[in-house]
Amino acid sequence: MNELNLPPLKEFDARIIQRPLQGIFRNMEFELLRRVQTANASSDVEGERRSTLFVMMLQFTKNSYGAANFLCSTEDDASNRKENFALVLPPINRQLLDLLFTLVYILDDFPTRSMDYERSGYRQAREEYDKYRKKFGSDPAWQSRFKVQEDWFPGVERYLSITKEQKANPKLIRRWLGPAKLKEKQTRSQPFMQFLDEWIYKEVSAQAHLNAAGLLSVGLFLLTDLAPEGQRVPVHRALQAYTFWHYARTLTVVLGIASEIDTFAKVGNREALVRLWVMLGDHALEAKEVYEQRYQAMLTPDHAD
């Protein structure tokens, strides 16, 4: 077949997922913020911490999802975008996958692991503060930044029950592990994390880090203008397929994060999430496989939380 007479790619109207997903986000955000306020009013520190953590994770997910939508949109301001902007989807997806791995691992033992996760964040913030304080402590230009951090630390230390020893030496707090090490941990969800790593994360990570394999995988798109005229249409077609593949991954991971939070926190969007998983799975085999590996069972009404 002449390469210029290739059949058209199957179109995917992302709005069939985007619109109901925005509704799920609104429902989850409203309910979780309500719980934060209720816990705060009743001095329920643990309830406030739990719901606040989920709100932050959900907000980050929404922000990354919104950025992916904007970059890949063919409407509105599309004339100001380039097709090659889709090449930044793997780094976005890697961040989202990092969050999904963390959620999956944490939710197997939420009270202990969520606290370990947040304390590791305190350690990182303290180490950064100590490093810059040591180098720029006498510089007037840095004093306002140091003051903000110094005012913030005591509240966080109370909130996370940081001990005197940990305040004096933050290295006593364990660092949080990335997906490559989390998947090796003995936990109920280890098989799913190993599946994600093998079939999605490794490839996404290679492109996000832009190692040799990652660069070579997108090199064709970066050299389109140098290609002979007769090869530009097939390259354009390949870029469209690339964009769908990675945008579908964005949707897959976003749905995973939403499903984890909604199910564990019992927010009440299971039926809507199932509909979106099935719709996306009809267009993207990878989404169907992820759904069948974990979320099909998780989102059934008789799932044991």
Side-chain angles (χ1 to χ4, degrees), residues 47-77:
E48 182 182 3
R49 183 185 72 83
R50 168 176 169 162
S51 294
T52 300
L53 179 60
F54 288 146
V55 168
M56 289 190 295
M57 290 178 166
L58 185 65
Q59 291 284 11
F60 180 85
T61 302
K62 281 179 55 182
N63 188 71
S64 297
Y65 164 72
N69 287 342
F70 179 80
L71 290 168
C72 297
S73 175
T74 56
E75 298 182 351
D76 303 324
D77 231 8

Side-chain angles (χ1 to χ4, degrees), residues 1-274:
M1 177 182 291
N2 187 305
E3 60 186 9
L4 296 181
N5 293 320
L6 292 170
L9 294 169
K10 184 178 179 181
E11 289 190 4
F12 172 64
D13 186 350
R15 291 173 294 186
I16 65 171
I17 304 293
Q18 291 168 341
R19 289 171 178 169
L21 184 53
Q22 290 292 358
I24 290 173
F25 280 147
R26 284 194 297 271
N27 292 343
M28 293 180 69
E29 186 176 43
F30 176 83
E31 175 59 22
L32 291 170
L33 286 172
R34 185 193 66 78
R35 294 182 189 184
V36 170
Q37 294 166 354
T38 300
N40 181 266
S42 61
S43 300
D44 178 4
V45 176
E46 177 56 25
E48 182 182 3
R49 183 185 72 83
R50 168 176 169 162
S51 294
T52 300
L53 179 60
F54 288 146
V55 168
M56 289 190 295
M57 290 178 166
L58 185 65
Q59 291 284 11
F60 180 85
T61 302
K62 281 179 55 182
N63 188 71
S64 297
Y65 164 72
N69 287 342
F70 179 80
L71 290 168
C72 297
S73 175
T74 56
E75 298 182 351
D76 303 324
D77 231 8
S79 61
N80 293 327
R81 301 188 187 97
K82 296 180 180 179
E83 285 187 317
N84 281 358
F85 286 177
L87 301 183
V88 305
L89 286 177
I92 292 174
N93 288 343
R94 191 204 164 183
Q95 286 187 318
L96 288 170
L97 279 163
D98 283 352
L99 179 54
L100 180 58
F101 270 86
T102 288
L103 254 177
V104 168
Y105 182 72
I106 280 177
L107 295 183
D108 280 352
D109 182 7
F110 184 82
T112 299
R113 294 176 181 177
S114 64
M115 186 64 80
D116 288 345
Y117 173 71
E118 293 198 71
R119 285 173 176 160
S120 73
Y122 166 82
R123 170 183 170 167
Q124 187 170 345
R126 269 292 312 278
E127 288 179 338
E128 180 180 297
Y129 166 83
D130 292 343
K131 178 177 71 175
Y132 285 102
R133 185 71 176 175
K134 182 177 180 180
K135 185 171 183 178
F136 301 108
S138 60
D139 187 338
W142 284 75
Q143 298 313 303
S144 60
R145 171 176 172 171
F146 293 143
K147 181 65 166 59
V148 169
Q149 292 174 299
E150 289 160 2
D151 290 344
W152 178 75
F153 284 132
V156 174
E157 289 163 355
R158 289 192 300 272
Y159 192 65
L160 300 179
S161 301
I162 303 296
T163 67
K164 291 181 180 180
E165 292 77 16
Q166 290 169 334
K167 291 178 193 178
N169 181 13
K171 288 184 172 57
L172 294 174
I173 300 171
R174 288 177 296 179
R175 292 190 184 279
W176 191 253
L177 301 176
K181 292 185 178 179
L182 285 181
K183 72 178 175 63
E184 301 302 326
K185 291 286 188 179
Q186 295 296 319
T187 188
R188 185 177 70 248
S189 300
Q190 184 183 30
F192 179 64
M193 289 193 290
Q194 291 177 334
F195 165 81
L196 280 182
D197 180 70
E198 180 64 26
W199 290 101
I200 302 179
Y201 188 78
K202 285 180 180 177
E203 179 190 339
V204 170
S205 184
Q207 293 194 31
H209 282 298
L210 208 62
N211 62 19
L215 182 60
L216 290 174
S217 69
V218 298
L220 177 68
F221 309 132
L222 299 173
L223 300 175
T224 304
D225 292 340
L226 302 179
E229 188 68 32
Q231 295 181 14
R232 292 182 186 178
V233 170
V235 170
H236 170 72
R237 175 189 173 93
L239 181 56
Q240 288 181 311
Y242 174 97
T243 300
F244 170 75
W245 180 262
H246 288 280
Y247 181 70
R249 277 186 171 167
T250 303
L251 291 174
T252 299
V253 182
V254 166
L255 280 177
I257 293 169
S259 298
E260 297 288 345
I261 296 174
D262 192 88
T263 302
F264 185 82
K266 298 181 175 64
V267 181
N269 293 284
R270 286 184 174 185
E271 291 183 4
L273 285 164
V274 167

